[in-house]
Amino acid sequence: MKETCSFLIIFLLPVIYAEAQIHSESSAITPAGYQAQVISEIWWWMLGISSFISALVLLLLIVGLKLRREGTPRPPGGDLWFIVSLGLVLPFVILTGLLLYMLIATNKLIPPNADLTINVTGHMWWWDVEYPAEKIRSANELYIPTGKDIRVELRSRDVIHSFWVPSLSGKTDAIPGLVNTHWLRAERPGTFWGACAEYCGLQHARMMFYVVALSPENYERWVNERKRSKVPTAAQSAGLNAFMDEGCSECHAIKGTNAQGDVGPDLTHIGSRLSLGSGTAVNNYGNLAAWIANPQAIKPGNKMPRAYLPPEQLHSLTSFLMALK
Ligand code: CUA
């Protein structure tokens, strides 16, 4: 009994621990963006029409059963009229109408030009985020200004992923060797979660990201803060040294240092990120230290090996990273 309990606790702990609880929202039927609004209108129309047809079919079934039980004779030629009108003409009219409506509606999803372009590259299992004009690099988070048309250029480094923020827009695949364009426009500020919507391997479910929509003034402030490069203080140099000595810089980049790896997420502003491991855990000192010490316990299968660091070194490395706001 005891063994079973401890086994269960050991087995479940990383699972319980790993689910990030970040205050965010997202649902395709509570749109906060222009594209999501258009898509949700299509959804409501389809739900309404299909509910109406289902009710009609049920009603006809009940009437049919009742007439049969009462032994009412069929009207002559009635079957053919029924099949042609309700089986052919009605579905044709409804489906053609819906098709035309959808073609017109989806055409409205693409704005004439972009106010901002962001490059997003899917990796197993995280998202690289780059603002080419602003020279900002991040991961698993897109900060955008409200009321602006955002073009997301989607790429993939390995397999097919799919970029989806339910409250803001539809899904677009990130396909290796192709550049797909995805459009977003947030109408109000907020933090909206997004997810990979195409099965892409072991940690597909933990390939989440966040879109933080800020008012244009706050967005400007965010850009200026991100552009400022930060030189590590003397107190942080032990952490930076650990970062370089442990080989972290082989995979990760930190702007303003010699760390220029591009296998893993850019860590220039890791301290300000909402989550670790693409929405796997909340970003705080404890979780970051646990992640560095044994990332495979938190997100099995990810590409980061564990770092065998003595406690003081783990502390200075974690403190240094958390200070990179
Ligand atoms: Cu990436 Cu599923």
Side-chain angles (χ1 to χ4, degrees), residues 161 196 198-200 204 207:
H161 303 278
C196 177
E198 176 85 34
Y199 181 71
C200 56
H204 156 70
M207 195 171 161

Side-chain angles (χ1 to χ4, degrees), residues 295-308:
Q296 297 301 324
I298 300 172
K299 190 174 176 179
N302 83 79
K303 295 205 173 67
M304 181 162 158
R306 62 188 296 181
Y308 295 90

Side-chain angles (χ1 to χ4, degrees), residues 18-42:
E19 297 308 331
Q21 295 287 315
I22 289 156
H23 183 72
S24 62
E25 50 177 322
S26 232
S27 158
I29 51 171
T30 52
Y34 172 72
Q35 281 80 4
Q37 179 66 42
V38 173
I39 292 167
S40 81
E41 276 164 22
I42 297 176

Side-chain angles (χ1 to χ4, degrees), residues 302-322:
N302 83 79
K303 295 205 173 67
M304 181 162 158
R306 62 188 296 181
Y308 295 90
L309 288 170
E312 322 80 68
Q313 239 182 322
L314 179 63
H315 168 68
S316 49
L317 175 55
T318 310
S319 313
F320 160 66
L321 291 172
M322 285 307 288

